[in-house]
Amino acid sequence: MGERLVDTVRRFNRTVTQRVGALDDGYLTRDRPLAQARLLWEVGPAGAEIAALRTRLGLDAGHLSRLLRTLEGDGLITVNSAPGDGRVRVAQLTSAGRAEWDVLDRLSDELAWSILEPLSDSQRTRLAAAMTEVERLLMASLVELRDCHPGEPAARACLRAYTRELAQRFEDGFDPGVGDDDLVPPTGLFLVATLSGEPVGCGGLRLVPGEPAEIKRVWVSPSVRGLGLGRRIVRELERRAADAGADLVRLDTNDSLTEAIQLYRSSGYHEIPAYNDNPYARHWFAKPLIKDDASGR
Amino acid sequence: MGERLVDTVRRFNRTVTQRVGALDDGYLTRDRPLAQARLLWEVGPAGAEIAALRTRLGLDAGHLSRLLRTLEGDGLITVNSAPGDGRVRVAQLTSAGRAEWDVLDRLSDELAWSILEPLSDSQRTRLAAAMTEVERLLMASLVELRDCHPGEPAARACLRAYTRELAQRFEDGFDPGVGDDDLVPPTGLFLVATLSGEPVGCGGLRLVPGEPAEIKRVWVSPSVRGLGLGRRIVRELERRAADAGADLVRLDTNDSLTEAIQLYRSSGYHEIPAYNDNPYARHWFAKPLIKDDASGR
DNA sequence: CCATATACCTGACTTTAGTCAAGCAATCCG
DNA sequence: CGGATTGCTTGACTAAAGTCAGGTATATGG
């Protein structure tokens, strides 16, 4: 039965991904090299930082620079230094570039419509629903979890979002207090989850030798909630804690974070007495770590 | 609401198609050029005719030939003339090529599993179901309908399948009688539906000036049934008949072709008295054609 | 048997894509 | 203020993809 599922995924990858992908490229290319067309599209009406384009398109810095130069030469974009930081450069569409982008936008609409057009109404609705489902579930697989210094931009973005959200949800606001710069080896660690470059979640671990490990700053972007990312982050943090020699992991949380409490309970955590005086904490949880070097499944 | 559906399709195309597609390519490439890897994969354990590879991969004849020469030079495939026709050449995997193919097969399994792995059981099932749905419905859109001489290989394949199926379904067998070589302009036409090069359906139209047009040889491959292709073929034939000046289109059919009868009834056909003495016909249908040069949505 | 068509191959390109090291300007850090 | 770092650009490549005009066997139809 696992075999059947794998076959389904493989067939899907082959047929849908390659064929529709090729179709998409063909439509959007407009007798311009594919990389240029994609780049022009990604710059978009709002403009974009070059670093962002690089991660989104997965291009080499040199290659990207050259592509930008070509588009600039064709009068489709301008590249200027960012106002804040002179090293950062920002690409903007010129009016000619905008016109071209609009054409791509229209073609993209037409392609989408050409897919829907031969279908009956009910088929169209079913297709859209199935596409949304596939997309959401694939997201979960494409999220990458990696170690990240809390000071890195991706981490800071997550922590800002985390703080903003808690401030909104807690009755009496939220002040994160001191920074999270201690969440680096050897006294801790910080994980950031990214979806094609964009940070979509995070989690920290504080490690004090001889004491239980502590999970902190677990946050998942609303855009990917309900896909099990929180559970995945917590599981990874537990694994790291075990690797570091901890045999217990604990954390504090607040009543208003109902999904989090639900997650911890269903992940094997049980409530314990307060182990700190965090003014925002209302519940304290702990989970014993069982060491196993042979990971099952 | 049409707009929402189009947006869904566009988002799907972008995220799923590009990201999963790139992932797929990366896995399967095995530090061999992508085109070579894909070609090796397409040759497969059963071997393949070069013409088939060309259409399946959408490659230029020269480019393909060179790729074949490279794989041949690496000892992965052999290319020999086909037994029937000395011009046609067939690629076969050598044992080394077969071993390489097996590796690709395994990697493909691993990639599929890496997508499923982070998901819960119920999510996996839902993903597989949604993928199957997307795939089937996209098929309908990717089917291309084109004019085709009844003597062309694609047409002959359809007509053979048509004949075989009727012979099986009719109580007293089926003999197509004379060929369908009259289904060419100006006395008629023949359409073949292809799904990425493979013929999956057909339909013919006989045109006699001053007489009603006649629909013949409508067939849809079992692999794509239930996706509205039959209806699409009939609709296109009606359009062609109208373009040719006919104001009525008629056809004959047999009791055992229940889906066809259902299709004709729901497409606006009504039963009429026998207009010919086709020994296999049990029902005769007709539909008046309304001319409209402004085709609505 | 000969003209024509088919199916593929070769040579001789051009265009894209992608890599790597070196370099420069802006910024950050102590 | 001076040395490191960051962010991007350039030069100098290589590899892969794709194109196009011949060319060579094999088949087909009169």
Side-chain angles (χ1 to χ4, degrees), chain A residues 50-51 54 61-62 65-66 69 87 89:
Chain A
I50 289 183
R54 205 166 46 230
S65 185
R66 239 171 288 273
R69 229 45 57 220
R87 292 168 304 184
R89 313 207 49 180

Side-chain angles (χ1 to χ4, degrees), chain B residues 50-51 54 65-66 69 87 89:
Chain B
I50 289 182
R54 204 165 48 229
S65 185
R66 240 171 289 271
R69 229 44 62 219
R87 294 167 303 181
R89 312 203 29 147

Side-chain angles (χ1 to χ4, degrees), chain B residues 215 234 238 249 251 264-265 267-271 285-287:
Chain B
I215 287 180
V234 168
E238 290 167 2
V249 60
L251 55 90
Y264 295 131
R265 286 198 194 282
S267 294
Y269 286 76
H270 58 270
E271 197 150 3
F285 288 93
K287 176 182 180 178

Side-chain angles (χ1 to χ4, degrees), chain A residues 119-193:
Chain A
L119 303 179
S120 73
D121 276 352
S122 86
Q123 283 177 318
R124 285 176 196 165
T125 314
R126 277 166 48 207
L127 179 61
M131 280 181 163
T132 306
E133 177 104 330
V134 167
E135 212 190 328
R136 280 184 59 81
L137 290 169
L138 277 180
M139 267 191 199
S141 316
L142 295 178
V143 169
E144 286 171 23
L145 212 54
R146 65 162 219 274
D147 285 83
C148 179
H149 189 283
E152 272 185 46
R156 299 176 76 94
C158 288
L159 289 168
R160 260 200 311 279
Y162 169 83
T163 305
R164 202 175 326 118
E165 181 160 352
L166 293 203
Q168 211 164 41
R169 293 176 68 156
F170 289 181
E171 283 179 359
D172 34 350
F174 176 69
D175 173 8
V178 300
D180 297 294
D181 294 339
D182 56 327
L183 297 180
V184 294
T187 60
L189 60 88
F190 193 76
L191 300 177
V192 161

Side-chain angles (χ1 to χ4, degrees), chain B residues 180-194:
Chain B
D180 296 294
D181 293 339
D182 56 329
L183 297 179
V184 293
T187 61
L189 60 88
F190 194 74
L191 300 177
V192 162
T194 52

Side-chain angles (χ1 to χ4, degrees), chain A:
Chain A
M1 113 125 203
E3 199 44 42
R4 286 253 357 96
L5 291 180
V6 164
D7 287 345
T8 302
V9 173
R10 285 184 55 169
R11 217 181 39 245
F12 178 88
N13 284 2
R14 257 174 67 71
T15 60
V16 175
T17 264
Q18 286 192 13
R19 261 158 225 161
V20 179
L23 207 66
D24 217 36
D25 291 344
Y27 262 71
L28 298 187
T29 205
R30 294 256 299 162
D31 53 42
R32 193 190 309 286
L34 179 55
Q36 272 180 46
R38 277 220 254 262
L39 177 55
L40 183 66
W41 175 257
E42 286 293 339
V43 170
E49 292 189 359
I50 289 183
L53 294 171
R54 205 166 46 230
T55 62
R56 279 218 292 272
L57 293 164
L59 293 173
D60 170 84
H63 188 193
L64 175 60
S65 185
R66 239 171 288 273
L67 290 172
L68 288 167
R69 229 45 57 220
T70 309
L71 290 179
E72 211 171 22
D74 291 354
L76 297 172
I77 62 169
T78 56
V79 179
N80 299 298
S81 296
D85 186 335
R87 292 168 304 184
V88 175
R89 313 207 49 180
V90 176
Q92 299 274 350
L93 294 177
T94 62
S95 60
R98 175 58 199 250
E100 193 58 23
W101 191 91
D102 286 340
V103 172
L104 293 182
D105 189 52
R106 196 172 48 70
L107 286 174
S108 198
D109 260 4
E110 276 175 22
L111 174 62
W113 176 245
S114 81
I115 287 174
L116 290 168
E117 199 253 315
L119 303 179
S120 73
D121 276 352
S122 86
Q123 283 177 318
R124 285 176 196 165
T125 314
R126 277 166 48 207
L127 179 61
M131 280 181 163
T132 306
E133 177 104 330
V134 167
E135 212 190 328
R136 280 184 59 81
L137 290 169
L138 277 180
M139 267 191 199
S141 316
L142 295 178
V143 169
E144 286 171 23
L145 212 54
R146 65 162 219 274
D147 285 83
C148 179
H149 189 283
E152 272 185 46
R156 299 176 76 94
C158 288
L159 289 168
R160 260 200 311 279
Y162 169 83
T163 305
R164 202 175 326 118
E165 181 160 352
L166 293 203
Q168 211 164 41
R169 293 176 68 156
F170 289 181
E171 283 179 359
D172 34 350
F174 176 69
D175 173 8
V178 300
D180 297 294
D181 294 339
D182 56 327
L183 297 180
V184 294
T187 60
L189 60 88
F190 193 76
L191 300 177
V192 161
T194 52
L195 181 57
S196 55
E198 295 296 308
V200 292
C202 67
L205 193 66
R206 174 181 276 159
L207 294 165
V208 180
E211 277 187 36
E214 184 181 14
I215 287 180
K216 302 186 67 177
R217 312 292 192 218
V218 173
W219 171 78
V220 172
S221 160
S223 65
V224 296
R225 273 177 207 174
L227 293 178
L229 178 55
R231 193 173 299 270
R232 190 167 151 200
I233 291 172
V234 167
R235 206 189 303 132
E236 180 64 13
L237 290 173
E238 290 166 2
R239 209 177 59 73
R240 299 303 194 89
D243 288 353
D247 43 29
L248 186 76
V249 60
R250 59 190 183 183
L251 56 89
D252 59 44
T253 188
N254 184 286
D255 296 287
S256 63
L257 303 177
T258 49
E259 326 85 291
I261 292 176
Q262 164 67 25
L263 164 61
Y264 295 131
R265 286 198 194 282
S266 67
S267 294
Y269 286 77
H270 58 271
E271 198 151 2
I272 55 169
Y275 65 85
N276 64 15
D277 54 359
N278 178 351
Y280 301 103
R282 296 290 178 278
H283 298 277
W284 291 260
F285 288 94
K287 176 181 179 177
L289 296 172
I290 299 130
K291 318 227 155 154
D292 61 343
D293 26 14
S295 74
R297 154 78 71 171

